[in-house]
Amino acid sequence: MAQANIDDEDLPQEILDAYDEALYDTLPVKSRLLYEKTFDKFLEWLEERKLDSYSEKVLVVYFMDLSKTVAAGTLWSKYSMIKKMLLVKKNVDISSYSKLISFIKNKNVGQIRKKAKVFTKTEMDRFLTSAPDDNCLHLKVAAILGLCGATRREELYNLLVSHVIDKNTHFVITLHDTKSNKNRIFTVNEPYCQVIRKYISLRPANPKTESFFLNFKEGKCSNQAIGINSIGSFPKQIAEHLELPETDRYTGHSFRRTSTTILAGTKASMSTVKRHGGWRNPSCVEEYIDESEEVRQEISDQIMGAVDQRSSNSSSTQPSNPKKIKLSMGQGEDVNNEGASTSGGATIIMNISFSK
């Protein structure tokens, strides 16, 4: 009968090696190298000080030194990586180090994270309708996909021609190799399909790569795929074209934040927004939503409208001319003529009233 408890040193070496390999496999595949480098720097710090301890006091001093050279927000990611590596490599669990956690928390008090800037609906519409196709067509396509799919830069970079399916009335796009390791599917409807079709038609007859985004210059696509850093600079290039301030703050995450902000602004449910971006946690969604000036004005109108009865009475007698703007951000669904999703996607209908 097998023994319930046995000392590790009594186990065969092949079992111990297999155990170590299994633990190593728990590290995020895409970030393993970064985890290793972060942990190696910690071990070098210990060696320089001739320390051979992973006690809470040692960790607090290390993070105190680290806080002098890295941003407060970065301390959390360093802590997460070192915690995981200590558990995997040294079988040491520092999750109970309350003093260390308090130290990192205190370093983050009052810190305001600089997030990627968000485009307004007006800015996006202006770019899509007025930017010249000769040198901006690839940027238009990226903006359309970025808005409809809440895409990250790496998702656009990994997009292949086979992932973009033309259904005549709309496109169905599948994002593979996402951060959550789960495919996301969304659609692009007319009139934006014609922009995508035009870009596809300009691809070389026998391209050497299946990458969807190819270098684009003077109205032609080359055989070379656009790099991930270049794709990450697309929002900045759009901001520069629109002559917006702080163009450096438009990053590879701007499309994703803009898409989420627009969808949330349509009063879509939290479950719809979560499904749209592939999030599980509502707090993650809130990190992506930018409180735009339009939202602040709406809040002000609601408050002051309740205070000023004259304003509410006069506005009720004003005729209005409602205009509907439909933007489909579905999850692989079809949208009927009334703007209703037929399979759980997100169809955004924005009603804008113009009072005389």
Side-chain angles (χ1 to χ4, degrees):
M1 184 176 179
Q3 298 181 31
N5 297 304
I6 186 170
D7 292 336
D8 286 350
E9 56 266 22
D10 295 331
L11 291 171
Q13 187 60 43
E14 62 182 280
I15 298 297
L16 295 176
D17 291 342
Y19 174 75
D20 290 340
E21 184 178 347
L23 279 182
Y24 187 78
D25 284 343
T26 63
L27 296 175
V29 176
K30 297 178 182 179
S31 318
R32 283 180 183 174
L33 184 59
L34 183 58
Y35 274 65
E36 292 278 7
K37 286 183 177 180
T38 300
F39 190 59
D40 286 344
K41 287 184 178 180
F42 171 59
L43 296 180
E44 289 172 6
W45 182 88
L46 291 176
E47 187 176 350
E48 288 172 1
R49 287 155 182 78
K50 295 181 173 56
L51 295 172
D52 188 21
S53 170
Y54 309 112
S55 69
E56 184 170 23
K57 290 182 179 179
V58 170
L59 267 295
V60 168
V61 174
Y62 175 71
F63 275 90
M64 183 178 68
D65 283 357
L66 201 60
S67 67
K68 298 173 184 176
T69 57
V70 302
T74 306
L75 291 178
W76 278 121
S77 62
K78 299 290 186 184
Y79 165 79
S80 178
M81 288 186 277
I82 291 174
K83 180 180 72 170
K84 184 69 174 180
M85 292 299 291
L86 280 173
L87 189 62
V88 169
K89 297 283 191 179
K90 306 295 182 181
N91 199 28
V92 174
D93 185 6
I94 66 172
S95 60
S96 61
Y97 287 6
S98 58
K99 294 183 179 65
L100 173 61
I101 294 172
S102 295
F103 172 80
I104 298 175
K105 282 183 177 180
N106 287 336
K107 283 293 181 180
N108 280 269
V109 171
Q111 296 291 323
I112 301 176
R113 290 175 56 192
K114 284 191 175 182
K115 300 177 182 178
K117 290 205 73 173
V118 169
F119 294 101
T120 67
K121 292 177 288 186
T122 302
E123 289 165 350
M124 277 285 89
D125 181 63
R126 181 155 59 95
F127 177 75
L128 291 174
T129 55
S130 65
D133 286 353
D134 282 351
N135 53 12
C136 293
L137 185 60
H138 61 307
L139 299 178
K140 287 183 177 182
V141 173
I144 291 168
L145 298 183
L147 290 181
C148 290
T151 59
R152 304 174 177 89
R153 66 167 189 167
E154 55 268 28
E155 291 169 347
L156 292 178
Y157 172 72
N158 291 325
L159 193 66
L160 303 180
V161 175
S162 58
H163 300 161
V164 182
I165 307 300
D166 191 346
K167 296 285 188 175
N168 294 323
T169 58
H170 62 280
F171 274 92
V172 175
I173 294 91
T174 303
L175 299 177
H176 296 263
D177 198 24
T178 63
K179 189 175 181 180
S180 60
N181 297 317
K182 183 179 179 181
N183 292 350
R184 292 206 319 277
I185 303 173
F186 64 94
T187 65
V188 176
N189 295 344
E190 295 291 2
Y192 304 106
C193 294
Q194 57 187 324
V195 181
I196 299 175
R197 290 191 188 104
K198 181 176 181 180
Y199 180 73
I200 293 175
S201 70
L202 297 173
R203 293 176 62 86
N206 297 300
K208 298 178 181 178
T209 175
E210 281 294 305
S211 295
F212 181 79
F213 282 102
L214 301 179
N215 279 332
F216 185 80
K217 188 176 181 181
E218 297 179 354
K220 295 181 180 179
C221 290
S222 70
N223 267 311
Q224 186 176 3
I226 300 178
I228 188 170
N229 292 326
S230 294
I231 289 178
S233 72
F234 282 178
K236 180 183 177 182
Q237 294 178 49
I238 293 173
E240 289 173 344
H241 178 85
L242 294 172
E243 298 182 344
L244 302 178
E246 298 182 288
T247 56
D248 285 341
R249 289 189 58 195
Y250 289 88
T251 71
H253 247 53
S254 289
F255 290 150
R256 188 165 171 81
R257 291 201 67 219
T258 299
S259 176
T260 309
T261 299
I262 291 175
L263 181 56
T266 66
K267 305 298 188 297
S269 67
M270 178 57 74
S271 61
T272 297
V273 179
K274 284 166 57 182
R275 186 168 63 250
H276 173 56
W279 292 287
R280 297 189 183 95
N281 194 330
S283 62
C284 293
V285 178
E286 292 170 0
E287 285 288 313
Y288 280 84
I289 298 174
D290 182 65
E291 191 172 315
S292 65
E293 188 171 330
E294 293 174 350
V295 173
R296 295 190 182 100
Q297 286 179 320
E298 183 179 338
I299 293 172
S300 176
D301 285 343
Q302 290 173 349
I303 294 171
M304 298 314 295
V307 172
D308 188 352
Q309 295 300 315
R310 294 170 302 173
S311 174
S312 60
N313 290 336
S314 62
S315 63
S316 64
T317 62
Q318 295 286 341
S320 63
N321 178 23
K323 180 182 178 182
K324 287 187 178 181
I325 303 174
K326 183 172 77 172
L327 174 61
S328 174
M329 295 183 178
Q331 300 292 319
E333 83 290 11
D334 292 325
V335 179
N336 63 28
N337 291 331
E338 297 298 321
S341 170
T342 60
S343 63
T347 298
I348 305 170
I349 299 179
M350 294 170 279
N351 291 289
I352 305 175
S353 296
F354 302 95
S355 298
K356 293 182 180 179

